[in-house]
Amino acid sequence: MYRQITDPLDHPALTALLAATPLLVLLVLLGVLRVKAYWAALAGLATAVVTAVAVYGMPAGQAALGAAEGAAFGLFPIVWIVLGAVWINRLQRASGRDAVISRTFARLSDDPRVQAVLIAFCFGAMIESLSGFGTPIAVTSVILVGLGQPPLKAAAIATFANTAPAAFGSVGNPIQALAKVTSYPAAELGAMVGRQSAVIAFLVPFVLLFILDGRRGLRELWPVALAAGAGFGAGQYLCSNHLAYQLTDLVAALVSAGAVILVLRVRRPPHPPDPGPGAGSRAPRLPAQPEPEPAFALAAAAPLVPSPVADVPSAPVPPVDHRREVLRAYFPYALLTLLFSLVSYDGPVARFVDAQDVSFTWPGLHVMSASGRPVAIATFDFGWLGAAGTLLLLTGVVSARVLRVPARRALRCYGEALRQIRWAALTVSCVLALSYVMNLAGMAVSLGVWLAGAGRLFALLSGLLGWFGVALTGSDTSSNALFGAMQVTAAQHVGISPLLAAATNSTGGVQGKAAAMQNLVIAAGAVGLTGREGDILRKVIGWSLAVLTVLCVIAWLQSTSVLGWMVP
């Protein structure tokens, strides 16, 4: 039995510094020394175990068991979700229906700015809903180059657009991780995140237009940005609060795209703009470069359109696909929506699925809080049948038949997906193991108590902490696992809503996506600009911090009577 200690050194600041050591090791290795993510995660985990045993007096066996539980949670449900999502993505490409999806967006408008909003913002969110970790950036940036966008601009657009849906990416992975470490119900966290993220997502299309075409883009296409942002925000809020948070990105993307289509029927842009110097009517030739394998190894997807080294028109007119092919292309998303609806709404199916859930205390793990109560994090929930990864697996099995992918090819795609995410699996497992050790030993509580010294102004710092975590780990899931419990502890000490602080960590973290080194590498490699990650960062970092500032102010107002009504 181990009882948590919050201040083993009798010096809150010094204790907090030692408690933060595993995080500092992880972040410095990632952000400064640029060590591969899995090596940085392993080093951070080792530091956490040593600190827990040597400073907090946690028995080595309990620390090892806590790390094992965290690694298991990383594999199920998180890696289980990623595997299913990547498999569906590969099935789409194996069948050629990925190109059908991209052409449906391109046919909606011949204006490259509108195409960029539809593809990077709407279609990218659809991909994010299934497979995050940089996959939408790799896919949409290549499509944009194929449609005539300059590579640097395409990479910046794809990177910044990926911030809007990240809080609910990979079928709600970040929310699940946050729920586990904070012991709040995932549905409540999803609802609170949706009430913040909807406001922030509204701003993203306006930023995209400014990056694309400056003031002229905003002046000529503000109705498109308004429709895209308002539709996405409304979809996020309604789905996360009244449907199922796992489907939030998918629903928001569809509503946003539908709103843009309605606007285009009423008001067409005055004229497609001149692409500008260096773009011309054709995409510039670039030296062919092998696509690097990113830290999370999820951007190795083959291009959906011709390689960016080819000469293509800036706004080609795509061929018209048969309606049957379009329906087949979108079938996986429709089936996934149906399955999640069945297991989310109270009914015979949902009750049967819930009855199969298994929860148990992790064998041999005996940890109590400082107040003497068993910690909730020591209970492992194994909801195997209703897990998002299981629904994705079922979707993939059925979709392979509908997409007419032979069984042998579908199995090969599954093997390729396993190989593609192998380093992601190791990284996520190590980061979750690190998080569990910190939470079980009491290190997260120590950090939270020290940060609570900021008083009610902590609400302003909460989003920044989330941004920092995602900027250096590349994952809102990892950031939530690392900082979620700490946010809750600090909020309890300063007297603000712990639910608000936990949600703000996730919502603030999504803006860190634009500054994450992993995402910058993915974007640069996808469009043939390897080595110019700094150029992409300079295009998006200012906007990332500006939108983060808006969120921090909103979160602070939500901690007061001004916007307190937004907190459930």
Side-chain angles (χ1 to χ4, degrees):
M1 176 69 68
Y2 169 69
R3 186 164 180 165
Q4 290 180 343
I5 303 172
T6 58
D7 189 9
L9 301 180
D10 292 325
H11 192 293
L14 185 56
T15 297
L17 178 61
L18 285 174
T21 302
L23 294 178
L24 294 175
V25 169
L26 173 65
L27 301 181
V28 168
L29 289 176
L30 276 176
V32 180
L33 302 180
R34 299 184 181 180
V35 174
K36 286 186 180 295
Y38 53 87
W39 285 119
L42 283 169
L45 172 59
T47 306
V49 171
V50 170
T51 304
V53 174
V55 178
Y56 282 78
M58 188 179 194
Q62 293 295 299
L65 288 169
E69 185 192 5
F73 181 73
L75 293 174
F76 184 93
I78 295 176
V79 173
W80 182 229
I81 292 173
V82 175
L83 176 59
V86 173
W87 183 42
I88 291 176
N89 189 31
R90 285 189 169 273
L91 289 174
Q92 287 274 37
R93 287 188 285 122
S95 67
R97 267 71 183 195
D98 52 354
V100 174
I101 292 176
S102 66
R103 285 195 294 268
T104 61
F105 283 103
R107 280 196 300 271
L108 296 174
S109 174
D110 61 352
D111 190 311
R113 300 167 299 179
V114 177
Q115 292 176 356
V117 171
L118 285 169
I119 292 170
F121 187 66
C122 300
F123 183 48
M126 290 178 63
I127 301 174
E128 179 73 23
S129 71
L130 289 180
S131 178
F133 296 94
T135 302
I137 296 174
V139 173
T140 59
S141 60
V142 173
I143 296 176
L144 291 175
V145 171
L147 292 174
Q149 289 291 343
L152 181 59
K153 189 172 289 187
I157 290 297
T159 301
F160 193 81
N162 189 233
T163 62
F168 296 96
S170 297
V171 204
N173 239 349
I175 303 298
Q176 292 190 43
L178 189 61
K180 184 63 178 180
V181 300
T182 62
S183 299
Y184 271 99
E188 289 186 17
L189 288 167
M192 186 63 237
V193 171
R195 298 180 187 202
Q196 294 177 322
S197 182
V199 179
I200 301 306
F202 172 78
L203 303 174
V204 173
F206 292 93
V207 175
L208 296 179
L209 284 181
F210 196 91
I211 295 175
L212 282 163
D213 198 30
R215 291 188 179 90
R216 181 178 64 172
L218 289 175
R219 184 175 63 252
E220 295 180 352
L221 290 176
W222 66 265
V224 172
L226 179 63
F232 199 92
Q236 278 199 326
Y237 168 74
L238 292 174
C239 190
S240 62
N241 281 263
H242 302 291
L243 184 57
Y245 72 88
Q246 297 96 331
L247 298 174
T248 296
D249 282 344
L250 186 58
V251 171
L254 292 174
V255 174
S256 179
V260 172
I261 292 171
L262 289 176
V263 167
L264 292 175
R265 289 181 181 273
V266 176
R267 183 183 187 276
R268 287 280 178 177
H271 55 80
D274 178 8
S281 62
R282 294 178 177 269
R285 290 186 178 274
L286 297 170
Q289 299 185 34
E291 182 176 328
E293 185 174 358
F296 284 103
L298 287 174
L304 299 181
V305 295
S307 168
V309 302
D311 288 328
V312 292
S314 59
V317 179
V320 177
D321 296 295
H322 195 281
R323 181 175 298 179
R324 186 184 300 109
E325 294 303 309
V326 175
L327 291 175
R328 280 201 181 100
Y330 284 93
F331 175 81
Y333 306 103
L335 178 59
L336 186 63
T337 301
L338 174 63
L339 292 177
F340 268 112
S341 298
L342 289 174
V343 301
S344 298
Y345 282 109
D346 186 24
V349 175
R351 286 192 290 270
F352 174 78
V353 169
D354 291 341
Q356 313 308 311
D357 291 353
V358 178
S359 296
F360 57 90
T361 301
W362 193 258
L365 187 60
H366 304 291
V367 178
M368 300 176 66
S369 67
S371 61
R373 298 177 180 177
V375 295
I377 197 175
T379 300
F380 190 85
D381 299 317
F382 187 65
W384 64 275
L385 185 57
T390 304
L391 300 183
L392 284 164
L393 177 63
L394 180 59
T395 299
V397 171
V398 179
S399 297
R401 178 68 176 175
V402 174
L403 297 174
R404 296 182 177 177
V405 179
R408 183 173 297 179
R409 181 70 180 105
L411 287 174
R412 191 180 306 124
C413 287
Y414 198 83
E416 292 169 354
L418 276 170
R419 187 178 187 283
Q420 181 176 326
I421 70 166
R422 64 193 188 282
W423 297 120
L426 176 60
T427 301
V428 171
S429 296
C430 289
V431 169
L432 266 297
L434 182 158
S435 171
Y436 269 58
V437 172
M438 289 188 64
N439 282 304
L440 289 168
M443 287 184 270
V445 177
S446 298
L447 285 167
V449 170
W450 179 67
L451 285 174
R456 296 188 67 86
L457 286 178
F458 174 74
L460 277 172
L461 304 175
S462 183
L464 178 61
L465 192 62
W467 183 95
F468 184 69
V470 175
L472 290 171
T473 65
S475 167
D476 200 39
T477 299
S478 297
S479 179
N480 285 345
L482 289 171
F483 297 131
M486 182 175 62
Q487 295 268 20
V488 168
T489 300
Q492 290 171 338
H493 279 77
V494 302
I496 66 174
S497 168
L499 177 65
L500 170 63
T504 303
N505 187 85
S506 187
T507 313
V510 301
Q511 284 304 315
K513 281 277 195 178
M517 180 55 63
Q518 292 90 329
N519 289 342
L520 297 174
V521 170
I522 290 169
V527 300
L529 294 179
T530 300
R532 296 185 60 186
E533 290 82 4
D535 295 337
I536 303 172
L537 179 63
R538 282 190 287 273
K539 277 189 169 291
V540 298
I541 185 64
W543 293 109
S544 174
L545 293 173
V547 176
L548 173 68
T549 301
V550 174
L551 169 68
C552 288
V553 173
I554 291 174
W556 175 65
L557 292 175
Q558 287 175 330
S559 71
T560 69
S561 59
V562 178
L563 293 181
W565 51 270
M566 294 181 69
V567 181

